Amino acid sequence: MDRADRRTARRDARRQRVGRPVLPLWAALVVAAVAGPVLDAAYPSLGIWPVAFLGIGLSLLPLIGRGAWAALLVGFVFGTSFFLVHIMWITRYLGPIPWFALALLEAALVAAGSVLISLAYRWLPRVVPGRWGRLVALPLLVGGLWTARELFQGSWPYTGFPWARIGMSQSESPLAHLVSWVGVSGLSFLMVAVTSAAIEVVRVHRTFGLRPVSLVPVAVGLVVLFAVPQFPTSDAGAMRVGSVQGNGPTGYFDDRTPNAVIQAQLDATAPVLKDRVDLLLWPEGGIDSDPLNNDTTARVLSRLSTRIDAPLLVNAATTRGDDIFNTSMLWDGDAGAVQLHDKRNPVPFGEYVPDRAFYEAIVPDLIGLIGREYTPGTNPPYMNVDGVGVGLAICFDVIYDSVIWEGASDGAEVFMFQTNNADFRGTDENLQQLAFARMRAVETGRSVVNISTVGTSQVISPDGATLDQLPAAEAGAMITDVPLRTGLTPAVLFGSTIQLVLFAGSLLTLGVAGLIARVRRRA
């Protein structure tokens, strides 16, 4: 055998090793099942942020060398083991059926995305077979496909469920500052790409031999993750905000009398009535009647606003025409509601039932619990409070990038998030949502006042630090000088473009790689 033949034989052997599964199928399924709970541990309440990398790695390894059907099975096992743990808090409200339904739906989407990742592991080394293709191009494509899967899950079905993005697990880690540059999706991409590159270092060592230069992509990725500082925004003074957690009976199954919720808010407000504030903030659902149509409730709010000589930012279900909205209102003395914002993304099966007739035929008792059909809002998530721009997000709207970015672009100098977590008392849902609020503070470079009916309520600084807080499940009020900021971060300016490039670019790259690999195989 001459030298050329030997080189050809070595190249063919390398290609065979590249296409071979790292794990037998039975082991791949076990590793995938372990990967889900490991990844969940990176999120609150445990919040062990470094294990996110381990969870990502354990979910990727079983996909290497897998065929499409095997990858579908592996991805489904991983998605199921993750979501069953991650959203267990749903059982406190509606029991096991919605929990299983949502977890299995999300697992199916994870499985579909896992097929694409497995195809990347199969096709790209054939198109870019060298060391650098494996160490750079492949990890970038894997990271992009993972992020594309997150983006799809966050938009479909209905309004999607962007709850479990990898980037959101890092709210209290040294990596959080990166979201001010690239957004949550960009952070997810970088974390997965670096993890994938680390896996490829080991695999390349077995195929090509280890050289120090092989560590460069991982080293560069780690520098980007840990060394890039938060994008700065400009100091614009402070706003003195009173925020009140009434701890009233605001859950679906709470026993209550008429006006019990607003009375709980008034009682918790009473100790701070003599404090000077620029704005008094109440949580989502802090009023149990519609002040736009109930004169008695309107008079109570007007008297309170007049007494403290400041506007109120309150929330209630309101009816306008034939539509019901989840509405935040800026209430200013006798003028009443001078500005409104309606929740953009009512929660499917929580605040409305899509395709109600279909689901009612399957689980009529559960669907019957959801009596109201909230209409999505169209007005801006922004209010002008005596010259200060206030960005808004009502409850689950905090997980939708577009709502936050629009508020910042409209001129928000501070964000105020109103939420009602009463149906999830004592679960990880409260802490997970608080983590999202913290990431939004860092992402936009703005302070966030996150006020809940029952907790967890905090004031968060632009760098993600906690400025003030209230104990959960207790009535109380905070009076806080909240820092204001101006200037837009790259995440706000270019976040949607970054998402488009990652989504469309990754799918296009995979398609082109598959086409080239097929042509070469035929040749």
Side-chain angles (χ1 to χ4, degrees):
M1 180 182 294
D2 59 23
R3 183 176 299 176
D5 291 337
R6 287 196 296 271
R7 283 199 299 268
T8 301
R10 286 196 298 270
R11 183 172 64 249
D12 291 342
R14 287 172 180 170
R15 287 177 176 174
Q16 289 178 358
R17 287 196 294 272
V18 167
R20 187 182 304 150
V22 173
L23 300 170
L25 183 57
W26 68 267
L29 295 175
V30 171
V31 171
V34 171
V38 169
L39 183 58
D40 175 73
Y43 296 81
S45 60
L46 292 178
I48 310 171
W49 65 265
V51 302
F53 293 95
L54 178 59
I56 295 167
L58 291 175
S59 70
L60 292 178
L61 278 173
L63 296 175
I64 298 174
R66 298 259 91 88
W69 289 109
L72 191 72
L73 177 60
V74 168
F76 186 76
V77 169
F78 162 62
T80 301
S81 69
F82 173 72
F83 277 100
L84 283 177
V85 177
H86 192 63
I87 60 172
M88 191 178 293
W89 41 264
I90 288 179
T91 60
R92 193 187 190 285
Y93 169 31
L94 288 176
I97 294 177
W99 172 49
F100 272 110
L102 181 56
L104 294 183
L105 171 62
E106 295 302 315
L109 298 179
V110 169
S114 297
V115 173
L116 300 182
I117 294 174
S118 71
L119 292 175
Y121 278 115
R122 184 191 308 175
W123 290 341
L124 203 65
R126 297 176 184 173
V127 176
V128 191
R131 179 188 302 268
W132 295 109
R134 296 272 300 279
L135 292 172
V136 178
L138 181 58
L140 292 178
L141 180 56
V142 169
L145 291 171
W146 182 299
T147 308
R149 181 176 67 187
E150 289 187 346
L151 291 170
F152 186 78
Q153 288 177 272
S155 59
W156 188 89
Y158 310 118
T159 53
F161 188 64
W163 188 267
R165 291 186 287 175
I166 293 292
M168 284 296 190
S169 69
Q170 303 298 299
S171 64
E172 297 192 62
S173 86
L175 280 62
H177 56 269
L178 264 180
V179 297
S180 65
W181 294 90
V182 297
V184 176
S185 294
L187 180 55
S188 293
F189 165 73
L190 290 171
M191 291 176 65
V192 176
V194 169
T195 305
S196 177
I199 293 172
E200 291 308 304
V201 168
V202 178
R203 296 181 67 217
V204 163
H205 167 57
R206 297 177 60 191
T207 305
F208 295 99
L210 182 62
R211 297 179 184 175
V213 71
S214 298
L215 299 174
V216 169
V218 175
V220 170
L222 291 175
V223 168
V224 171
L225 285 173
F226 287 93
V228 176
Q230 182 182 2
F231 187 86
T233 50
S234 302
D235 184 6
M239 184 181 201
R240 193 166 179 82
V241 179
S243 43
V244 182
Q245 175 179 294
N247 199 41
T250 53
Y252 259 93
F253 304 110
D254 288 350
D255 292 328
R256 72 183 82 172
T257 57
N259 298 316
V261 175
I262 190 173
Q263 188 59 54
Q265 285 296 134
L266 290 168
D267 291 343
T269 303
V272 296
L273 286 177
K274 295 182 180 180
D275 290 270
R276 184 195 64 80
V277 295
D278 299 313
L279 178 70
L280 182 66
L281 176 66
W282 281 8
E284 177 193 28
I287 303 171
D288 39 5
S289 55
D290 179 1
L292 301 183
N293 295 289
N294 186 311
D295 292 339
T296 301
T297 303
R299 284 194 295 272
V300 169
L301 297 177
S302 293
R303 283 199 298 267
L304 177 59
S305 175
T306 301
R307 180 173 180 179
I308 65 173
D309 193 25
L312 317 176
L313 182 51
V314 295
N315 175 280
T318 65
T319 301
R320 303 199 292 282
D322 295 330
D323 295 323
I324 300 174
F325 298 92
N326 184 338
T327 305
S328 293
M329 295 159 274
L330 187 67
W331 200 278
D332 194 359
D334 291 334
V338 294
Q339 296 178 58
L340 303 178
H341 167 64
D342 303 311
K343 187 175 183 179
R344 281 285 177 84
N345 300 282
V347 180
F349 307 102
E351 294 176 308
Y352 78 104
V353 181
D355 304 316
R356 179 180 280 268
F358 173 77
Y359 293 107
E360 215 160 34
I362 301 173
V363 281
D365 292 341
L366 290 176
I367 298 303
L369 293 173
I370 307 165
R372 287 172 173 165
E373 291 281 333
Y374 283 97
T375 300
T378 57
N379 40 28
Y382 170 86
M383 291 181 180
N384 186 308
V385 182
D386 293 331
V388 175
V390 176
L392 304 171
I394 302 171
C395 200
F396 274 28
D397 266 0
V398 71
I399 64 179
Y400 291 94
D401 295 334
S402 59
V403 174
I404 305 303
W405 295 341
E406 182 179 342
S409 298
D410 286 344
E413 299 167 69
V414 60
F415 277 94
M416 299 191 184
F417 299 157
Q418 298 163 290
T419 183
N420 176 14
N421 306 104
D423 290 308
F424 307 109
R425 290 181 178 97
T427 71
D428 288 352
E429 187 273 346
N430 297 341
L431 299 177
Q432 289 171 7
Q433 188 173 333
L434 181 65
F436 305 157
R438 194 177 309 279
M439 288 298 272
R440 295 310 190 186
V442 178
E443 179 185 38
T444 60
R446 302 291 192 274
S447 299
V448 166
V449 184
N450 187 79
I451 189 68
S452 169
T453 49
V454 298
T456 302
S457 298
Q458 286 190 356
V459 180
I460 303 166
S461 71
D463 63 358
T466 301
L467 296 177
D468 207 347
Q469 60 185 328
L470 292 170
E474 295 180 17
M478 299 180 283
I479 303 294
T480 315
D481 291 317
V482 182
L484 303 178
R485 293 288 188 272
T486 58
L488 297 180
T489 64
V492 172
L493 291 170
F494 308 114
S496 58
T497 302
I498 292 171
Q499 290 180 343
L500 177 62
V501 169
L502 290 174
F503 186 88
S506 300
L507 295 178
L508 179 62
T509 300
L510 181 66
V512 171
L515 181 62
I516 295 174
R518 184 175 183 180
V519 170
R520 288 185 177 179
R521 186 171 63 251
R522 286 183 175 180

